Amino acid sequence: MKTIFGIVLIVLLWYFLSFVIGSSFVLPFPHEVLGNLINQLSTPRFYVSLWNTVWKTLIVLFLSSFFGIIFGFFMGMSDTIYEIFRPMLMMIQAIPVVSWLAFVVFLWGVGWRGPILISTMAILPNTVFTTTSGIKNIDRKLLEMVRLYKVSRSKIFRHVYLASIVPFVIAAIEVSIGNVWKVVLVTEFLVGGNGLGVELAWARQYVDVPRIYAITILAVILGITTERVFKIISRRMLERWEMY
């Protein structure tokens, strides 16, 4: 009920600001944006663009999570590896998305590979550092105790290391989900060959402001939905994990 109240409040505020501004080129009314969104949902081209953005986003999430967890685990286990790769990851983290454009354009041109690479580079460092923090926060006394009682390495890995990093990994992926849709759409807008970001670029080209807002709202809905689905899946995985 509170969520519905919040949505209604946002819509009312949107109507008020649209009325005050008085220009559909700056802030169109909600019903104009909704009508545009419905029109787009009735065209096959829109679903092709949507699918192109969805599969890129899923690939970016997989790559950043898979490699981020692996790199983060080894960086947390070894101070030497941490000190070697930390400056590189901090540099990657500090590089703006726009700065990757020249590299991608000259390497591949416009297409699907650029958005995937740039988005992965933007998301990866956060996953690595979060996983590293999970490993480094393991209680050293607990490790000494399990080794003293000669607990098998497989059990140590599962019940100590994995159990310690799981909350950190889940938090990192949740943050990544919140950012990945924005990053993918921006990179598609700049160097993508297809996808919702490209649709945004065409809407900008034709000064179709309601279409821009409609695609933006859809991206927000996709981001929130993805995050909620991941929370449900991760909660069930944690429940099964605790059973074993």
Side-chain angles (χ1 to χ4, degrees):
M1 188 65 185
K2 293 181 180 179
T3 303
I4 297 175
F5 177 77
I7 294 173
V8 171
L9 183 63
I10 291 172
V11 173
L12 291 175
L13 180 61
W14 186 351
Y15 266 108
F16 174 75
L17 292 175
S18 299
F19 178 78
V20 171
I21 294 172
S23 174
S24 60
F25 288 104
V26 179
L27 186 63
F29 285 98
H31 63 268
E32 296 176 334
V33 175
L34 180 61
N36 189 284
L37 180 59
I38 293 173
N39 289 335
Q40 291 187 72
L41 291 174
S42 63
T43 60
R45 171 182 169 178
F46 184 78
Y47 290 99
V48 173
S49 299
L50 176 61
W51 167 244
N52 279 296
T53 298
V54 168
W55 72 258
K56 288 174 196 167
T57 302
L58 294 177
I59 288 178
V60 170
L61 281 174
F62 172 77
L63 292 176
S64 60
S65 300
F66 180 76
F67 290 107
I69 293 171
I70 292 177
F71 290 154
F73 181 83
F74 285 108
M75 286 177 64
M77 293 290 292
S78 172
D79 290 335
T80 302
I81 296 177
Y82 179 80
E83 294 300 330
I84 291 174
F85 287 99
R86 180 174 175 271
M88 184 188 304
L89 286 167
M90 291 186 66
M91 182 184 70
I92 293 174
Q93 192 174 35
I95 296 176
V97 172
V98 179
S99 299
W100 289 99
L101 294 179
F103 173 77
V104 168
V105 169
F106 285 117
L107 182 62
W108 293 315
V110 174
W112 59 269
R113 288 174 289 188
I116 289 178
L117 175 64
I118 297 174
S119 301
T120 302
M121 290 297 100
I123 301 297
L124 179 65
N126 177 69
T127 307
V128 174
F129 286 129
T130 305
T131 305
T132 301
S133 298
I135 294 295
K136 288 185 174 294
N137 284 331
I138 295 177
D139 190 348
R140 300 301 169 185
K141 293 182 179 180
L142 176 61
L143 289 175
E144 292 176 2
M145 183 181 69
V146 294
R147 287 167 182 164
L148 178 65
Y149 285 96
K150 298 180 179 181
V151 179
S152 65
R153 290 184 178 181
S154 62
K155 289 185 177 181
I156 293 176
F157 178 77
R158 175 181 174 82
H159 296 288
V160 178
Y161 286 110
L162 285 185
S164 298
I165 68 172
V166 163
F168 289 86
V169 169
I170 291 176
I173 295 176
E174 287 180 353
V175 172
S176 299
I177 290 173
N179 294 323
V180 68
W181 288 98
K182 294 184 293 184
V183 178
V184 170
L185 258 68
V186 168
T187 52
E188 283 182 343
F189 182 91
L190 297 170
V191 295
N194 46 44
L196 293 179
V198 177
E199 295 298 321
L200 279 173
W202 282 113
R204 171 184 171 275
Q205 188 74 19
Y206 291 107
V207 200
D208 191 349
V209 180
R211 185 180 176 189
I212 294 174
Y213 279 88
I215 296 174
T216 302
I217 290 175
L218 179 63
V220 171
I221 294 173
L222 288 171
I224 294 174
T225 303
T226 308
E227 185 179 1
R228 292 294 176 89
V229 170
F230 175 75
K231 284 185 176 181
I232 294 172
I233 295 174
S234 62
R235 189 181 301 117
R236 291 180 179 178
M237 289 177 63
L238 286 174
E239 290 174 356
R240 292 183 180 181
W241 180 284
E242 291 173 354
M243 290 175 59
Y244 293 99

